[in-house]
């Protein structure tokens, strides 16, 4: 070939979108967007991902280096996913070099994966390194093993031997077949063969719509309306015609029904891509998906980025769940919204499912007419709405946070041989240690939150940074010895209940109780089969558990979420209460303890009517200009020196004020409600706007400034966490 070809290569962690390299003739036919390559970078060889190829290059030839090697196709991603990466980068203001990391299993692009062996065994040499290889011929030895045995100096020696043609090298990505997924042995449940009339209607509407044009659907279905089966029937058609399907779930271990059903329906086709897998297991799944051997891909948000060829459908279950949103690292993407864009890019349908859709999705599927609404109003036979009773705690005696009335109901339920779930979204024993004399609440020295007492370990813990401390003898502020533990966490509820019901089995399910692997399935099983009578837990209980013999759900304190300084507080509280109440199948009761019976979430939960709640809430959002009517982006500035953080935030604010488009409202800078986390002070500027282009134009100015190294500046588009 007599023309020159170049490739733009994305190199992780460089804070730059891409670097341009020249292509050797023999590489030109093989190179496609998404291929992983080895390139020289700052005197090192690093891995990068091909962004695009081109025939022109602005740089002068001597400056430009060559792509040295193309790695096997197994570990490459697909060109369409590079397009998706490009969109995420632009929409969420994150360089490609950060975004690209979402698309590969951990360490695939970072770790040193070379391995070596002698070209011929019959070489004569006294060199210990060559002797070492000779003994092991024809096995390949990894770089890591060589360095472990011979030290860091062996690296250069190896390179020399490779150049001299004595040793050959190759790139090897280690994979390991995943350990079998632990299935909940609740396979007694039969899989329904025929849809109910309501489900049939939904299936018909779906087919009718996609026969004209694929689109995004909101499957709005009450808990117990059979959403999982509707997904399965739809998925089956895609899988049988040779296509792949991705199903996102908030957390696999908490959605036993989906995993159980999918395994039984799709067998070997299914793969679960989840956080308990090792890196090598993740890479194994990656390669199987890439080859089209695994075509039903189930997992949390990271599963969306697996290279599924012939993708035909994306399902996002529990689409309102906040775990789909990355809030810590850039890109701060929402997997649900990325899924919708991905669907449009591929021209395939996307189904967002929920019993309590986010206000954004509900609005998009109704007034805004962006999505198609599919509604399953009725619960399937064997399910009916629970009776909901609200207890005003202002008028109740409740020594340990549990009213006499709720205790009575627990007793009655147990006596009638039914089971009880007690829900409290606060782990630990007591959330406050307070001084009775001056009112001071013990705080974490590194974060601006109170310390929570954990009784078993006998320590105060910070739930944000993990800091631990013994209970002090005296108040840190006034020196008084008059300290008192206040408030109730799941551990305390468990203890109180255990003391009152000493002859029955009780368990707790929260992050602390199930940190050991396999605990969730064990508790699930024991509760399912009736060995456990009472289960105390956090919102982990609300996700996807379905127990036939559950007679009572008690919500210990419905006010925790309501008190958050966040415009979504009512929405979240309602969703949580609805999900927890939805655990009841038939003829059961839900008792909600609250100090705010008049709040919207609590006064409307009684009717178990999500639509009614949403319509009222949307009216407020419209009035005050919040999503979905106007959009939000949060700019978060962090640093160790409070005054400098304030000063720098003000500088950024002033810059934005000058560059901002007219409709953009700038709010702040103000300290975040959690002002300090891990010794870093946090300030926020909020942008409110209607048109994304205006945000884009306003934030362009950020690209021109250099962020001093002692600050971090994070752009969070469509944030869900404003704490
Ligand atoms: Zn009652
Ligand atoms: Zn004090
Ligand atoms: Zn802390």
């Amino acid at each position: 070939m007599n023309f020159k070809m170049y490739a733009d290569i994305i190199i992780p962690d460089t804070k730059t979108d891409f670097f341009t390299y020249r292509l050797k003739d023999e590489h030109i036919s093989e190179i496609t967007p998404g291929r992983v390559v080895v390139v020289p970078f700052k005197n090192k060889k690093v891995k990068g991902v091909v962004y695009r190829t081109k025939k022109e290059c602005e740089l002068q030839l001597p400056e430009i280096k060559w792509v040295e090697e193309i790695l096997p196709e197994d570990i490459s991603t697909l060109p369409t996913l590079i397009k998706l990466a490009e969109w995420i980068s632009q929409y969420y203001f994150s360089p490609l070099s950060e975004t690209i990391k979402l698309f590969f299993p951990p360490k695939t692009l970072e770790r040193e994966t070379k391995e070596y062996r002698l070209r011929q065994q019959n070489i004569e040499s006294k060199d210990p390194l060559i002797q070492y290889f000779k003994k092991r011929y024809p096995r390949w030895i990894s770089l890591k093993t060589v360095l472990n045995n011979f030290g860091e100096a062996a690296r250069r020696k190896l390179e020399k031997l490779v150049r001299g043609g004595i040793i050959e090298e190759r790139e090897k990505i280690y994979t390991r077949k995943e350990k079998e997924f632990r299935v909940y042995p609740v396979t007694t449940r039969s899989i329904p063969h025929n849809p109910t009339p309501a489900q049939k209607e939904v299936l018909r509407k779906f087919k009718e719509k996609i026969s004209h044009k694929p689109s995004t659907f909101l499957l709005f279905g009450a808990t117990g309306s059979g959403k999982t089966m509707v997904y399965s029937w739809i998925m089956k058609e895609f899988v049988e015609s040779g296509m792949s399907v991705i199903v996102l779930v908030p957390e696999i271990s908490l959605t036993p029904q989906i995993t159980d059903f999918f395994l039984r329906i799709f067998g070997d086709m299914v793969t679960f891509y989840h956080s308990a897998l090792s890196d090598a297991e993740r890479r194994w799944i990656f390669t199987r998906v890439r080859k089209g051997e695994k075509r039903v891909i189930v997992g949390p948000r990271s599963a969306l980025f697996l290279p599924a060829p012939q993708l035909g459908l994306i399902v996002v279950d529990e689409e309102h769940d906040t775990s789909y949103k990355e809030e810590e690292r850039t890109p701060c993407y929402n997997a649900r919204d990325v899924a919708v864009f991905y669907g449009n890019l591929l021209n395939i349908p996307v189904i967002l499912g929920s019993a309590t859709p986010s206000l954004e999705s509900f609005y998009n599927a109704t007034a805004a007419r962006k999505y198609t609404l599919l509604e399953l109003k009725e619960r399937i036979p064997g399910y009916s709405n629970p009776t909901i009773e609200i207890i005003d705690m202002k008028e109740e005696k409740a020594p340990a946070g549990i009213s006499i009335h709720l205790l009575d109901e627990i007793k009655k339920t147990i006596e009638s041989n039914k089971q009880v779930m007690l829900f409290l979204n606060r782990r630990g024993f007591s959330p406050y240690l307070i001084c009775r004399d001056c009112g001071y609440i013990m705080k974490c020295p590194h974060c601006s939150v109170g310390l929570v007492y954990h009784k078993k370990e006998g320590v105060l813990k910070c739930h944000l940074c993990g800091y631990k401390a013994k209970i002090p003898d005296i108040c840190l502020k006034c020196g008084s010895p008059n300290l008192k533990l206040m408030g109730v966490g799941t551990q305390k509820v468990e203890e109180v209940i255990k003391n009152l019901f000493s002859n029955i089995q009780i368990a707790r399910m929260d992050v602390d109780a199930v940190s050991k692997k396999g605990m969730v399935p064990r508790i699930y099983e024991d509760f399912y089969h009736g060995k456990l009578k009472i289960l105390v837990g956090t919102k982990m209980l609300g996700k996807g558990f379905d127990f036939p013999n559950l007679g009572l759900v008690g919500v210990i304190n419905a006010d925790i979420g309501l008190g958050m300084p966040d415009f979504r507080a009512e929405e979240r509280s309602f969703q949580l209460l609805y999900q927890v109440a939805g655990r009841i199948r038939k003829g059961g009761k839900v008792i909600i303890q609250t100090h705010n019976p008049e709040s919207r979430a609590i006064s409307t939960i009684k009717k178990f009517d999500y639509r009614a709640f949403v319509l009222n809430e949307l009216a407020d959002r419209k009035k005050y200009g919040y999503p979905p009517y106007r959009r939000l982006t949060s700019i978060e500035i962090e640093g160790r020196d409070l005054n400098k953080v304030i000063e720098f935030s003000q500088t950024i604010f002033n810059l934005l004020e000058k560059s901002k488009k007219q409709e953009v409202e700038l709010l702040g800078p103000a300290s975040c409600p959690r002002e300090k986390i891990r010794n870093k002070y946090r300030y926020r500027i909020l942008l409110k706007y209607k048109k994304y282009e205006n945000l884009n134009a306003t934030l362009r100015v950020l690209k021109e400034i250099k962020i001093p190294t002692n600050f971090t500046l994070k752009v969070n588009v469509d944030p869900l966490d404003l704490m």
Side-chain angles (χ1 to χ4, degrees), residues 434-440 442 475-480 482-483:
I434 191 166
C435 169
R436 283 177 154 177
D437 289 326
C438 75
Y440 178 73
M442 300 303 148
C475 170
L476 300 180
K477 203 171 171 198
C478 76
S480 156
N482 222 347
L483 301 177

Side-chain angles (χ1 to χ4, degrees), residues 389 405 409 589 591:
E389 199 179 313
H405 183 67
E409 296 279 353
K589 199 177 226 182
I591 294 183

Side-chain angles (χ1 to χ4, degrees), residues 444 447 462 465:
C444 172
C447 311
C462 171
C465 76

